[in-house]
Amino acid sequence: ALSLILEPLQVHHSECSAGKSFDWRIAEAAYFCSKSISRSMPFDSALVYNLLCAIPTLPRQPQLLYTSCSVVGSFSSWVAGAMKKGKLPDASLLTSLLSFSSGALQDKDASSAAAIAFKHLCDSCCGLLGEFSEQLFSVYNAVITGSPGALESEDVIEVLEGVIFVAMAMDADKKQAAVQVIVQPILTPLQAMLGGSPAGNEVQALRLLEQLETVYKNVSDKQLVMQLLDHTSSIFDRALEVLGPHVECAEKVCSALKYGLKTTGTSTAQELLQHLFTNIPLRFSRYSHPCLLYLSSELVKIFGGQTQSHGWLQALVSGLVAKSHNKLMEIKNFDSRPDIVDDLFLLAGRVLTYAPAILFLEGGFQTLQLLFNCAVAGMYINHRDALLSIYAFFYLLLDTKNEYSAKALEAVLVPAGLILTKKLLAGITGAVPKAYLEDLGESLHRMLRVAKQLGLSWLHESLSCIPRTSLSDEEKQTFMVAAQEYLSNGRHRSFLQQVKEVSQICRRNDKVMRECNASLLASS
């Protein structure tokens, strides 16, 4: 196949030898097509070897240069495989292609393809490039310390990821030194910026924070990441303080911390965490960044299983829930900030899954009550992900089975169970799109399973609010019988089928749907 692809180029080469001028389009087409078979070529292919050896000698035409860089990236796995299997005489092809892609970074038309080629070469050949680390870090330093705008942020990230791949393949002692070389040109200007006035420098700060996020995302050595967290925690703290109003900067800080904590896991020093996250509720109150909620949910996921962590986690969660509750007082607040709603109930779900004691023990009752109130108030939010997060919270809350959940569930359900039942029925009869019917039915049947006879009384009272013209007494009675049978035999499928039938009846036209919703919601 490669012979067929290269045939026009070989013919053109003969024509050029006879004096015809070079047509870059023929070469570009051949190289472009060769990418499609890069993964299927044998490692001893002389055609591939000659194809790649010729790349640095091609004329510097912009489109041809771009395609050539793309070919280098596509064949990087072939180069690595051929070297490991001893099919190449030495490392000259690898170093030649590395120099070629590094040089192409300076060409504005090909820099994006060159950056990707550089990363793929580093990724595929990471175990072979250790001896060329000086050359690699020279390229990296030129890119990372270059004037803003010299390369697009995405291209800088590609080069950064490439050198990290090589660093992670080094021996332990060299790995630590390599990571220090990588982070130093990022941390030095960032610290200087945060120590002075960042006004007008938010764009540059964002670039540096994105680079630091990339380091945490790709450095996989737990010990190294623990050292990095210890070194950068004060920088992150300062960044959240100084760059707090800038949402993208805050997101990069939180994302970097998330990746770091995922790598270190429960090995992270508790003192570091308590210091770093003490002020998160205050900062959330001030700036309303949902990324702070998401980062906190990751903390709960990682440390929720450690009883000794429950004290500071409870303080963190209760503070964030209280601040979120203050921001979500009315349904219009829910619709204007669905991102907060989504991440708040993701946090709540993580707590119920990994550390339910935070909510169910006596000190968490108030936090649980605030979450329940928010969930009931936001049940009709006009945002898919946020709505599903609320329903997922109800699933987990009403499905919790442990020795201390009963008292907490009673504390939140008894005062508000009737309102919840009416709002669930209103959703079933048309207050939310039919796509959420299954979620509503699941929430209703779980509520009945927990509340039992009290739940049946709430359901009966809620059904009585619906006018007979919308839902007849016989249809209401059929629904009640299905609910009673579910409680007696535990078969919820027949009950969910009745939920669907009631929904169809009450959604049969707009007038009936409006009557059902108005009657249920007016009394809730």
Side-chain angles (χ1 to χ4, degrees):
L2 187 58
S3 299
L4 290 173
I5 290 172
L6 297 180
E7 186 176 343
L9 181 58
Q10 292 169 338
V11 171
H12 185 57
H13 177 71
S14 300
E15 292 173 345
C16 291
S17 299
K20 187 176 181 179
S21 60
F22 177 76
D23 187 349
W24 66 267
R25 294 175 183 83
I26 296 175
E28 196 272 338
Y31 273 93
F32 183 86
C33 293
S34 71
K35 294 191 297 178
S36 63
I37 56 172
S38 61
R39 295 184 179 275
S40 59
M41 295 304 296
F43 294 123
D44 58 355
S45 171
L47 273 176
V48 175
Y49 179 75
N50 293 329
L51 179 78
L52 297 177
C53 285
I55 284 178
T57 67
L58 293 172
R60 303 281 288 194
Q61 196 279 337
Q63 191 169 334
L64 178 58
L65 181 60
Y66 184 96
T67 299
S68 301
C69 290
S70 183
V71 169
V72 171
S74 297
F75 279 94
S76 61
S77 296
W78 184 92
V79 174
M83 288 190 68
K84 290 173 184 176
K85 292 182 179 296
K87 302 299 182 181
L88 297 182
D90 51 38
S92 58
L93 177 60
L94 174 58
T95 56
S96 169
L97 294 177
L98 194 62
S99 297
F100 169 75
S101 57
S102 302
L105 288 168
Q106 301 171 26
D107 189 293
K108 62 181 179 64
D109 296 309
S111 57
S112 59
I116 294 173
F118 182 90
K119 181 179 82 168
H120 285 325
L121 276 174
C122 291
D123 186 13
S124 300
C125 307
C126 59
L128 306 166
L129 285 170
E131 58 184 293
F132 307 107
S133 58
E134 188 174 337
Q135 177 186 348
L136 286 173
F137 286 125
S138 174
V139 174
Y140 167 71
N141 281 319
V143 167
I144 208 79
T145 59
S147 59
L151 276 181
E152 294 293 334
S153 296
E154 295 83 357
D155 301 336
V156 175
I157 295 298
E158 301 283 5
V159 173
L160 172 57
E161 287 181 337
V163 295
I164 293 175
F165 291 148
V166 176
M168 289 299 99
M170 292 179 177
D171 296 334
D173 54 339
K174 294 181 179 178
K175 187 186 298 184
Q176 183 172 5
V179 170
Q180 289 176 350
V181 171
I182 290 170
V183 299
Q184 201 55 47
I186 300 172
L187 294 179
T188 300
L190 181 60
Q191 284 177 296
M193 191 177 299
L194 295 174
S197 172
N201 290 326
E202 287 88 353
V203 174
Q204 179 61 11
L206 180 60
R207 282 173 65 99
L208 293 169
L209 288 170
E210 186 177 21
Q211 292 161 14
L212 197 52
E213 174 200 25
T214 302
V215 171
Y216 275 106
K217 182 179 180 181
N218 291 281
V219 174
S220 55
D221 187 286
K222 180 183 288 190
Q223 196 63 37
L224 281 178
V225 175
M226 287 174 64
Q227 293 173 9
L228 270 176
L229 278 174
D230 189 51
H231 181 57
T232 58
S233 61
S234 59
I235 298 174
F236 285 136
D237 195 45
R238 177 67 178 164
L240 285 174
E241 179 182 346
V242 174
L243 299 167
H246 196 287
V247 61
E248 289 180 304
C249 288
E251 286 175 348
K252 292 303 175 186
V253 170
C254 290
S255 182
L257 283 167
K258 176 193 73 174
Y259 287 122
L261 291 167
K262 277 186 172 182
T263 302
T264 59
T266 54
S267 302
T268 314
Q270 296 285 318
E271 298 79 12
L272 166 67
L273 294 172
Q274 292 180 50
H275 168 72
L276 190 57
F277 298 110
T278 297
N279 294 323
I280 278 189
L282 180 62
R283 285 176 178 142
F284 178 73
S285 175
R286 188 178 301 164
Y287 303 121
S288 302
H289 296 325
C291 59
L292 296 169
L293 293 169
Y294 183 81
L295 176 60
S296 301
S297 73
E298 287 293 324
L299 284 170
V300 171
K301 183 177 180 180
I302 295 169
F303 296 98
Q306 293 187 326
T307 306
Q308 65 268 31
S309 301
H310 284 187
W312 64 268
L313 281 176
Q314 186 174 52
L316 174 66
V317 171
S318 61
L320 285 170
V321 170
K323 302 300 182 185
S324 299
H325 182 266
N326 291 339
K327 295 176 185 294
L328 300 172
M329 298 299 290
E330 300 177 18
I331 189 63
K332 66 179 181 182
N333 303 132
F334 284 84
D335 284 327
S336 63
R337 292 307 307 265
D339 48 354
I340 290 180
V341 178
D342 188 17
D343 285 325
L344 172 64
F345 286 101
L346 172 64
L347 171 62
R350 291 271 174 89
V351 172
L352 288 170
T353 302
Y354 296 101
I358 289 177
L359 296 178
F360 288 139
L361 292 182
E362 194 165 344
F365 281 8
Q366 184 178 1
T367 303
L368 181 60
Q369 186 70 64
L370 292 177
L371 280 170
F372 188 84
N373 292 344
C374 273
V376 172
M379 282 177 65
Y380 305 146
I381 184 173
N382 190 27
H383 188 277
R384 181 180 180 276
D385 291 339
L387 196 55
L388 290 176
S389 291
I390 289 175
Y391 292 151
F393 167 72
F394 282 131
Y395 297 168
L396 291 168
L397 177 64
L398 298 171
D399 204 37
T400 305
K401 297 172 184 175
N402 53 53
E403 68 276 12
Y404 42 75
S405 62
K407 185 177 179 182
L409 282 174
E410 183 180 349
V412 296
L413 266 183
V414 171
L418 178 59
I419 294 175
L420 173 61
T421 307
K422 288 181 178 180
K423 295 199 76 168
L424 286 171
L425 268 183
I428 289 168
T429 58
V432 296
K434 201 171 183 179
Y436 302 102
L437 182 58
E438 187 174 338
D439 301 286
L440 292 161
E442 285 286 338
S443 298
L444 182 58
H445 98 73
R446 293 180 191 216
M447 186 275 295
L448 288 172
R449 185 174 61 192
V450 171
K452 295 184 170 51
Q453 294 303 315
L454 187 57
L456 285 176
S457 69
W458 294 335
L459 184 60
H460 181 271
E461 186 173 343
S462 300
L463 287 170
S464 66
C465 296
I466 301 175
R468 292 189 180 92
T469 53
S470 300
L471 191 67
S472 69
D473 289 339
E474 183 180 352
E475 289 162 340
K476 294 176 184 178
Q477 183 60 29
T478 302
F479 192 58
M480 283 300 302
V481 169
Q484 290 166 345
E485 288 179 351
Y486 160 64
L487 285 183
S488 62
N489 59 33
R491 297 174 186 170
H492 69 280
R493 289 191 178 181
S494 58
F495 174 69
L496 293 179
Q497 184 58 41
Q498 283 298 318
V499 169
K500 291 179 181 179
E501 290 186 15
V502 167
S503 176
Q504 289 176 349
I505 293 168
C506 296
R507 292 174 187 254
R508 62 184 182 269
N509 60 54
D510 290 344
K511 180 183 177 182
V512 170
M513 193 162 62
R514 285 195 299 270
E515 285 178 350
C516 289
N517 291 172
S519 59
L520 286 164
L521 297 178
S523 54
S524 63

